[in-house]
Amino acid sequence: ETGVTQTPRHLVMGMTNKKSLKCEQHLGHNAMYWYKQSAKKPLELMFVYNFKEQTENNSVPSRFSPECPNSSHLFLHLHTLQPEDSALYLCASSQGDAGEETQYFGPGTRLLVL
Amino acid sequence: QKEVEQDPGPLSVPEGAIVSLNCTYSNSAFQYFMWYRQYSRKGPELLMYTYSSGNKEDGRFTAQVDKSSKYISLFIRDSQPSDSATYLCAMSEDQGAQKLVFGQGTRLTINP
């Protein structure tokens, strides 16, 4: 595997379900991100982790719970979601230090909440 | 007012045409400007990265930044059907670019 991978690629869940999204980066990066991409809206940054520590929580509802056990893995735990949470959830990673930064994105998980 | 404004399109042009994609922004503290390309069912990939005002060219792609007007552009010369994608502008105040602010994205189709 190379780059940033995400599983599952598609997920359908009911509002009472609990599920988790997984992201793995094979780039040796130290920063990881969760974004939400909804139709006709800009990419919304949700969480940022640097060296496994959460450094940004962009006022995300508590029904989204991130977890970063190490610099290569990032999870997004989902529970009691709402239909308006249906979107493409993108994970990204970057080097995490000063210098010209590029964020590398995974293919995303397409989430549908019924 | 949105921090970054980008016309969502869709934009459809014939193969070989010159394409111009644009974003405007309101935050004068933005210094780093990026263009990402996103193919259907894929994540965004970085296309161009520029700092401050000026032009940057890479093959058929040219990025322009005009900080005085708070306006950035991406030009695609000799457009190809493979350029059909959604193009996202993004910008950041700091070099680390961890807090990127994205435009809505412009969906572009190049017709053979």
Side-chain angles (χ1 to χ4, degrees):
Chain A
E1 290 278 14
T2 58
V4 181
T5 58
Q6 290 186 244
T7 55
R9 294 292 309 275
H10 301 275
L11 179 61
V12 179
M13 59 187 288
M15 289 190 283
T16 58
N17 291 158
K18 288 185 180 181
K19 296 286 185 184
S20 295
L21 309 185
K22 179 183 176 182
C23 175
E24 184 172 359
Q25 59 94 1
H26 310 268
L27 300 168
H29 289 162
N30 296 307
M32 295 189 77
Y33 312 76
W34 279 118
Y35 286 89
K36 177 183 180 182
Q37 188 174 35
S38 304
K40 300 181 180 176
K41 286 187 176 179
L43 270 172
E44 299 172 51
L45 179 64
M46 300 174 73
F47 302 103
V48 181
Y49 277 82
N50 279 280
F51 297 90
K52 303 187 297 178
E53 298 297 320
Q54 187 180 120
T55 54
E56 185 78 21
N57 177 338
N58 206 17
S59 303
V60 180
S62 59
R63 57 185 183 270
F64 294 92
S65 175
E67 179 190 359
C68 189
N70 55 61
S71 292
S72 298
H73 294 85
L74 185 64
F75 295 89
L76 188 62
H77 304 299
L78 316 171
H79 63 98
T80 59
L81 294 191
Q82 305 298 310
E84 60 264 30
D85 296 322
S86 299
L88 181 68
Y89 288 85
L90 290 160
C91 173
S93 71
S94 69
Q95 190 62 37
D97 54 19
E100 187 172 299
E101 275 282 347
T102 298
Q103 290 189 21
Y104 293 83
F105 286 83
T109 295
R110 176 72 62 183
L111 173 67
L112 177 62
V113 181
L114 300 175
Chain B
Q1 184 189 9
K2 293 179 187 174
E3 213 168 358
V4 178
E5 297 271 5
Q6 183 177 10
D7 186 340
L11 180 62
S12 183
V13 301
E15 184 176 355
I18 295 175
V19 177
S20 172
L21 304 169
N22 312 294
C23 288
T24 59
Y25 62 94
S26 57
N27 184 354
S28 57
F30 286 143
Q31 297 189 78
Y32 299 88
F33 304 90
M34 287 138 269
W35 286 95
Y36 282 82
R37 178 175 61 195
Q38 185 174 18
Y39 289 115
S40 181
R41 300 187 184 85
K42 295 283 182 71
E45 58 176 336
L46 184 71
L47 199 56
M48 299 286 281
Y49 181 109
T50 53
Y51 166 67
S52 194
S53 286
N55 292 0
K56 185 173 183 178
E57 189 173 318
D58 184 1
R60 297 184 295 109
F61 298 89
T62 300
Q64 283 187 354
V65 175
D66 182 349
K67 288 190 70 181
S68 63
S69 301
K70 297 191 182 71
Y71 187 88
I72 69 170
S73 300
L74 178 70
F75 297 96
I76 307 173
R77 292 183 300 281
D78 188 24
S79 56
Q80 305 293 311
S82 58
D83 296 327
S84 298
T86 296
Y87 289 80
L88 308 164
C89 65
M91 40 202 84
S92 172
E93 294 182 20
D94 58 87
Q95 190 175 21
Q98 292 208 337
K99 293 184 71 173
L100 293 180
V101 180
F102 283 84
Q104 191 174 337
T106 300
R107 179 184 280 185
L108 173 67
T109 300
I110 309 297
N111 300 303

Coordinates of all heavy atoms in Angstrom, one line a residue, chain A residues 3-9 21-27 29 31-37 43-49 66-76 87-94 102-110, chain B residues 36 38 42-45 102:
Chain A
G3 N 0.8 5.8 0.0 CA 0.0 7.0 0.1 C -0.9 6.9 1.4 O -0.5 6.4 2.4
V4 N -2.1 7.4 1.2 CA -3.0 7.4 2.3 C -4.2 6.5 1.9 O -4.8 6.7 0.8 CB -3.6 8.8 2.5 CG1 -4.6 8.8 3.7 CG2 -2.4 9.8 2.8
T5 N -4.5 5.5 2.7 CA -5.6 4.6 2.5 C -6.7 4.8 3.5 O -6.5 5.2 4.6 CB -5.2 3.1 2.5 OG1 -4.6 2.9 3.8 CG2 -4.1 2.9 1.4
Q6 N -7.9 4.6 3.0 CA -9.1 4.7 3.9 C -10.0 3.5 3.8 O -10.3 3.1 2.6 CB -9.9 6.0 3.6 CG -9.2 7.3 4.0 CD -10.0 8.5 3.8 OE1 -9.7 9.4 3.0 NE2 -11.1 8.6 4.6
T7 N -10.6 3.1 4.9 CA -11.6 2.0 4.8 C -12.7 2.3 5.9 O -12.4 2.9 6.9 CB -10.9 0.6 5.2 OG1 -10.2 0.7 6.5 CG2 -10.0 0.2 4.1
P8 N -13.9 1.9 5.6 CA -14.3 1.4 4.3 C -14.5 2.5 3.2 O -14.4 3.7 3.6 CB -15.7 0.8 4.6 CG -16.2 1.7 5.7 CD -15.0 2.1 6.5
R9 N -14.6 2.2 2.0 CA -14.8 3.2 1.0 C -16.3 3.7 1.0 O -16.5 4.8 0.6 CB -14.4 2.7 -0.4 CG -13.0 2.3 -0.5 CD -12.1 3.6 -0.5 NE -12.6 4.6 -1.4 CZ -12.2 4.7 -2.7 NH1 -11.4 3.7 -3.2 NH2 -12.7 5.6 -3.5
L21 N -14.5 4.8 11.0 CA -13.7 5.0 9.8 C -12.2 4.9 10.1 O -11.8 5.4 11.2 CB -14.0 6.4 9.2 CG -15.4 6.8 9.0 CD1 -15.5 8.1 8.2 CD2 -16.2 5.7 8.3
K22 N -11.5 4.3 9.2 CA -10.0 4.1 9.4 C -9.2 4.7 8.4 O -9.6 4.7 7.2 CB -9.7 2.6 9.5 CG -8.2 2.3 9.7 CD -8.0 0.8 9.7 CE -6.5 0.5 9.8 NZ -6.2 -1.0 9.7
C23 N -8.1 5.3 8.8 CA -7.2 6.0 7.8 C -5.8 5.5 8.2 O -5.4 5.4 9.4 CB -7.3 7.5 7.9 SG -6.1 8.4 6.9
E24 N -5.0 5.2 7.2 CA -3.6 4.8 7.4 C -2.7 5.5 6.4 O -3.1 5.5 5.2 CB -3.5 3.3 7.3 CG -2.1 2.8 7.6 CD -2.0 1.3 7.6 OE1 -3.0 0.6 7.4 OE2 -0.9 0.7 7.9
Q25 N -1.7 6.1 6.8 CA -0.7 6.7 5.9 C 0.6 6.0 5.9 O 1.1 5.6 7.0 CB -0.6 8.2 6.2 CG -0.1 8.6 7.5 CD 1.4 8.9 7.6 OE1 2.1 8.8 6.6 NE2 1.8 9.2 8.8
H26 N 1.2 5.8 4.7 CA 2.4 5.1 4.5 C 3.5 6.0 4.1 O 4.4 5.6 3.3 CB 2.2 4.0 3.5 CG 1.0 3.1 3.8 ND1 1.0 2.0 4.5 CD2 -0.3 3.3 3.4 CE1 -0.2 1.5 4.6 NE2 -1.0 2.3 3.9
L27 N 3.4 7.3 4.5 CA 4.4 8.3 4.0 C 5.3 8.8 5.1 O 6.1 9.7 4.8 CB 3.5 9.5 3.5 CG 2.6 9.2 2.3 CD1 1.6 10.3 2.1 CD2 3.3 8.8 1.1
H29 N 4.6 10.5 7.6 CA 4.2 11.9 8.1 C 3.9 11.9 9.6 O 3.6 10.9 10.2 CB 3.0 12.4 7.3 CG 3.3 12.7 5.9 ND1 2.3 12.8 4.9 CD2 4.5 12.9 5.3 CE1 2.9 13.1 3.7 NE2 4.2 13.2 3.9
A31 N 1.6 14.5 10.8 CA 0.3 15.2 11.0 C -0.8 14.5 10.2 O -0.5 14.1 9.1 CB 0.4 16.6 10.5
M32 N -1.9 14.4 10.8 CA -3.1 13.7 10.1 C -4.3 14.5 10.3 O -4.5 15.2 11.4 CB -3.2 12.3 10.6 CG -2.1 11.4 10.2 SD -2.3 9.6 10.6 CE -3.4 9.2 9.2
Y33 N -5.2 14.4 9.4 CA -6.4 15.3 9.4 C -7.7 14.5 9.0 O -7.6 13.6 8.2 CB -6.2 16.4 8.3 CG -4.9 17.2 8.3 CD1 -3.8 16.6 7.8 CD2 -4.8 18.4 8.8 CE1 -2.6 17.2 7.8 CE2 -3.6 19.1 8.8 CZ -2.5 18.5 8.3 OH -1.3 19.2 8.3
W34 N -8.8 15.0 9.5 CA -10.1 14.5 9.0 C -10.8 15.8 8.4 O -10.9 16.8 9.1 CB -11.0 14.0 10.1 CG -10.7 12.6 10.5 CD1 -10.3 12.1 11.7 CD2 -10.9 11.4 9.7 NE1 -10.1 10.7 11.7 CE2 -10.5 10.3 10.4 CE3 -11.3 11.2 8.3 CZ2 -10.5 9.0 9.9 CZ3 -11.3 9.9 7.8 CH2 -11.0 8.8 8.6
Y35 N -11.4 15.6 7.2 CA -12.2 16.6 6.6 C -13.5 16.0 6.2 O -13.7 14.8 6.0 CB -11.6 17.0 5.2 CG -10.3 17.9 5.3 CD1 -9.1 17.3 5.4 CD2 -10.5 19.3 5.3 CE1 -7.9 18.1 5.4 CE2 -9.3 20.1 5.3 CZ -8.1 19.5 5.4 OH -7.0 20.3 5.4
K36 N -14.5 16.9 6.1 CA -15.9 16.5 5.7 C -16.1 17.2 4.3 O -15.9 18.5 4.3 CB -16.9 16.9 6.7 CG -18.4 16.6 6.2 CD -19.4 17.1 7.2 CE -20.8 16.9 6.8 NZ -21.8 17.4 7.8
Q37 N -16.5 16.5 3.3 CA -16.8 17.1 2.0 C -18.3 16.8 1.7 O -18.6 15.7 1.4 CB -15.9 16.6 0.9 CG -16.0 17.4 -0.4 CD -15.0 16.9 -1.4 OE1 -14.6 15.8 -1.5 NE2 -14.5 17.9 -2.2
L43 N -14.6 22.0 1.4 CA -14.0 21.0 2.4 C -14.0 21.6 3.7 O -13.5 22.8 3.9 CB -12.6 20.6 2.0 CG -12.4 19.4 1.0 CD1 -10.9 19.4 0.6 CD2 -12.7 18.2 1.7
E44 N -14.5 20.9 4.7 CA -14.5 21.4 6.1 C -13.5 20.6 6.9 O -13.6 19.4 7.1 CB -15.8 21.2 6.7 CG -17.0 22.0 6.0 CD -18.3 21.5 6.7 OE1 -18.4 21.6 7.9 OE2 -19.2 21.1 5.9
L45 N -12.5 21.3 7.5 CA -11.5 20.7 8.4 C -12.2 20.3 9.7 O -12.9 21.2 10.3 CB -10.4 21.6 8.7 CG -9.3 21.1 9.6 CD1 -8.6 19.9 9.0 CD2 -8.3 22.2 9.9
M46 N -12.1 19.1 10.1 CA -12.7 18.6 11.4 C -11.7 18.5 12.5 O -11.9 19.1 13.5 CB -13.4 17.3 11.2 CG -14.5 17.2 10.1 SD -15.0 15.6 9.8 CE -16.0 15.2 11.3
F47 N -10.7 17.8 12.3 CA -9.7 17.5 13.3 C -8.3 17.5 12.7 O -8.1 17.1 11.6 CB -9.9 16.2 14.0 CG -11.2 16.0 14.6 CD1 -12.2 15.2 14.0 CD2 -11.5 16.6 15.9 CE1 -13.5 15.1 14.6 CE2 -12.8 16.4 16.5 CZ -13.7 15.6 15.8
V48 N -7.3 17.9 13.6 CA -5.9 17.8 13.2 C -5.1 17.2 14.3 O -5.4 17.5 15.5 CB -5.3 19.2 12.9 CG1 -3.8 19.1 12.5 CG2 -6.0 20.0 11.9
Y49 N -4.3 16.2 14.0 CA -3.4 15.6 14.9 C -2.0 15.8 14.5 O -1.6 15.7 13.3 CB -3.7 14.1 15.0 CG -4.8 13.7 15.9 CD1 -6.1 13.8 15.4 CD2 -4.6 13.3 17.2 CE1 -7.2 13.5 16.3 CE2 -5.7 13.0 18.0 CZ -7.0 13.1 17.6 OH -8.0 12.7 18.4
P66 N -12.6 11.4 17.3 CA -11.4 10.9 16.6 C -10.5 10.1 17.6 O -10.5 10.3 18.8 CB -10.7 12.2 16.2 CG -11.1 13.2 17.2 CD -12.5 12.8 17.7
E67 N -9.6 9.3 17.0 CA -8.6 8.6 17.8 C -7.4 8.5 16.9 O -7.5 8.1 15.7 CB -9.1 7.2 18.2 CG -8.1 6.4 19.0 CD -8.5 4.9 19.1 OE1 -9.6 4.6 18.7 OE2 -7.7 4.2 19.7
C68 N -6.2 8.8 17.5 CA -4.9 8.7 16.8 C -4.0 7.9 17.6 O -3.2 8.4 18.4 CB -4.4 10.0 16.5 SG -3.0 10.1 15.4
P69 N -3.9 6.5 17.5 CA -3.1 5.7 18.3 C -1.6 5.9 18.0 O -0.8 5.6 18.9 CB -3.6 4.3 18.0 CG -4.2 4.4 16.7 CD -4.8 5.7 16.6
N70 N -1.3 6.2 16.8 CA 0.1 6.5 16.4 C 0.1 7.3 15.2 O -0.9 7.7 14.6 CB 0.9 5.1 16.1 CG 0.2 4.3 15.1 OD1 0.0 4.7 14.0 ND2 -0.3 3.1 15.5
S71 N 1.3 7.8 14.7 CA 1.4 8.7 13.7 C 0.9 8.2 12.3 O 0.7 9.0 11.4 CB 2.8 9.2 13.5 OG 3.2 10.0 14.6
S72 N 0.7 6.9 12.2 CA 0.3 6.3 10.9 C -1.1 6.0 10.8 O -1.6 5.8 9.7 CB 1.1 5.0 10.7 OG 2.5 5.2 10.6
H73 N -1.8 6.0 11.9 CA -3.2 5.6 11.9 C -4.1 6.7 12.6 O -3.8 7.3 13.6 CB -3.4 4.3 12.7 CG -2.8 3.1 12.1 ND1 -1.4 2.8 12.3 CD2 -3.3 2.2 11.2 CE1 -1.1 1.7 11.6 NE2 -2.2 1.3 10.9
L74 N -5.3 6.8 11.9 CA -6.3 7.8 12.5 C -7.7 7.1 12.3 O -7.9 6.5 11.2 CB -6.2 9.1 11.7 CG -7.1 10.2 12.1 CD1 -6.7 10.7 13.5 CD2 -6.9 11.4 11.1
F75 N -8.5 7.2 13.3 CA -9.8 6.7 13.3 C -10.8 7.8 13.5 O -10.5 8.8 14.2 CB -10.0 5.6 14.4 CG -9.2 4.4 14.2 CD1 -7.9 4.3 14.7 CD2 -9.6 3.3 13.5 CE1 -7.1 3.2 14.5 CE2 -8.9 2.2 13.3 CZ -7.6 2.1 13.8
L76 N -12.0 7.6 13.0 CA -13.1 8.5 13.3 C -14.3 7.6 13.7 O -14.8 6.9 12.9 CB -13.5 9.4 12.1 CG -14.5 10.5 12.3 CD1 -14.0 11.5 13.4 CD2 -14.9 11.2 11.0
A87 N -22.0 12.4 3.9 CA -20.9 13.2 3.2 C -19.8 12.3 2.8 O -19.8 11.1 3.2 CB -20.4 14.3 4.0
L88 N -18.8 12.8 2.2 CA -17.5 12.1 1.9 C -16.6 12.6 3.0 O -16.3 13.8 3.2 CB -17.0 12.5 0.5 CG -15.7 11.9 0.1 CD1 -15.9 10.4 -0.1 CD2 -15.1 12.5 -1.1
Y89 N -16.0 11.6 3.7 CA -15.1 11.9 4.8 C -13.7 11.6 4.3 O -13.4 10.5 4.0 CB -15.4 11.2 6.1 CG -16.7 11.8 6.7 CD1 -17.9 11.4 6.3 CD2 -16.6 12.8 7.6 CE1 -19.1 11.9 6.8 CE2 -17.7 13.4 8.2 CZ -19.0 12.9 7.8 OH -20.1 13.5 8.3
L90 N -12.9 12.6 4.3 CA -11.5 12.5 3.7 C -10.5 12.6 4.9 O -10.6 13.4 5.7 CB -11.2 13.6 2.7 CG -12.0 13.6 1.4 CD1 -12.0 14.9 0.8 CD2 -11.3 12.6 0.5
C91 N -9.5 11.7 4.7 CA -8.3 11.8 5.6 C -7.2 12.3 4.8 O -7.1 12.1 3.6 CB -8.0 10.4 6.1 SG -6.5 10.2 7.1
A92 N -6.3 13.1 5.5 CA -5.1 13.6 4.9 C -3.9 13.5 5.8 O -4.1 13.4 7.1 CB -5.3 15.0 4.4
S93 N -2.7 13.6 5.3 CA -1.6 13.6 6.1 C -0.6 14.6 5.5 O -0.6 14.9 4.4 CB -0.9 12.2 6.3 OG -0.3 11.8 5.1
S94 N 0.3 15.1 6.4 CA 1.4 16.0 5.9 C 2.6 15.8 6.8 O 2.5 15.2 7.9 CB 0.9 17.4 5.9 OG 0.8 17.9 7.2
T102 N 2.5 20.1 2.0 CA 1.5 19.5 1.1 C 0.7 18.5 1.9 O 1.3 17.7 2.7 CB 2.2 18.8 -0.1 OG1 2.9 19.7 -0.8 CG2 1.1 18.2 -1.0
Q103 N -0.6 18.6 1.8 CA -1.4 17.6 2.4 C -1.8 16.5 1.4 O -2.2 16.9 0.3 CB -2.7 18.2 3.0 CG -2.4 19.1 4.2 CD -3.7 19.6 4.9 OE1 -4.8 19.0 4.7 NE2 -3.6 20.6 5.7
Y104 N -1.6 15.3 1.7 CA -1.9 14.2 0.9 C -3.2 13.5 1.3 O -3.3 13.2 2.5 CB -0.7 13.2 0.9 CG 0.5 13.7 0.3 CD1 1.4 14.4 1.0 CD2 0.9 13.4 -1.0 CE1 2.6 14.9 0.5 CE2 2.0 13.8 -1.6 CZ 2.9 14.6 -0.8 OH 4.1 15.1 -1.4
F105 N -4.1 13.4 0.4 CA -5.4 12.9 0.8 C -5.6 11.5 0.4 O -5.1 11.0 -0.6 CB -6.5 13.8 0.0 CG -6.7 15.1 0.6 CD1 -5.9 16.2 0.2 CD2 -7.7 15.4 1.5 CE1 -6.1 17.5 0.7 CE2 -7.9 16.7 2.0 CZ -7.1 17.7 1.6
G106 N -6.4 10.8 1.2 CA -6.9 9.5 0.9 C -8.1 9.6 -0.1 O -8.6 10.7 -0.4
P107 N -8.7 8.5 -0.5 CA -9.8 8.5 -1.5 C -11.1 8.8 -0.8 O -12.1 9.1 -1.5 CB -9.8 7.1 -2.0 CG -9.2 6.2 -0.9 CD -8.2 7.1 -0.3
G108 N -11.2 8.7 0.5 CA -12.4 9.1 1.2 C -13.3 7.9 1.5 O -13.2 6.8 0.9
T109 N -14.2 8.1 2.5 CA -15.3 7.2 2.8 C -16.6 7.9 2.5 O -16.8 8.9 3.1 CB -15.2 6.7 4.3 OG1 -14.0 6.0 4.5 CG2 -16.4 5.9 4.6
R110 N -17.4 7.3 1.6 CA -18.7 7.9 1.3 C -19.7 7.3 2.4 O -19.9 6.2 2.4 CB -19.1 7.5 -0.1 CG -20.5 7.9 -0.5 CD -20.5 9.4 -0.8 NE -19.7 9.8 -1.9 CZ -19.5 11.1 -2.2 NH1 -20.1 12.0 -1.6 NH2 -18.7 11.4 -3.2
Chain B
Y36 N -5.8 22.2 -5.9 CA -6.0 20.8 -5.9 C -6.9 20.3 -7.0 O -7.8 21.0 -7.4 CB -6.6 20.3 -4.5 CG -5.6 20.3 -3.4 CD1 -5.3 21.5 -2.7 CD2 -5.0 19.1 -3.0 CE1 -4.4 21.5 -1.6 CE2 -4.1 19.1 -1.9 CZ -3.8 20.3 -1.2 OH -3.0 20.3 -0.1
Q38 N -9.4 17.1 -8.1 CA -10.1 16.0 -7.5 C -10.9 15.3 -8.6 O -11.8 15.8 -9.1 CB -11.0 16.4 -6.4 CG -11.7 15.2 -5.7 CD -12.5 15.7 -4.4 OE1 -12.8 16.8 -4.3 NE2 -12.7 14.7 -3.5
K42 N -12.2 10.1 -6.0 CA -10.8 10.1 -5.5 C -10.7 11.3 -4.5 O -11.5 12.2 -4.5 CB -9.8 10.3 -6.7 CG -9.8 9.2 -7.7 CD -9.0 8.0 -7.1 CE -8.8 6.9 -8.1 NZ -7.9 7.2 -9.2
G43 N -9.6 11.3 -3.8 CA -9.3 12.4 -2.9 C -8.6 13.5 -3.7 O -8.1 13.3 -4.8
P44 N -8.6 14.7 -3.2 CA -7.9 15.8 -3.9 C -6.4 15.5 -3.9 O -5.8 14.9 -3.0 CB -8.2 17.0 -3.0 CG -9.4 16.7 -2.2 CD -9.3 15.2 -2.0
E45 N -5.7 16.0 -5.0 CA -4.3 15.9 -5.1 C -3.7 17.3 -5.4 O -4.3 18.0 -6.2 CB -3.9 14.9 -6.2 CG -4.4 15.2 -7.6 CD -3.9 14.2 -8.7 OE1 -2.9 13.6 -8.5 OE2 -4.6 14.1 -9.7
F102 N -10.6 26.0 2.1 CA -10.8 25.6 0.7 C -12.0 26.4 0.1 O -12.9 26.9 0.8 CB -11.2 24.2 0.7 CG -10.1 23.2 0.8 CD1 -9.6 22.9 2.0 CD2 -9.5 22.7 -0.3 CE1 -8.5 22.0 2.2 CE2 -8.4 21.8 -0.2 CZ -7.9 21.4 1.0

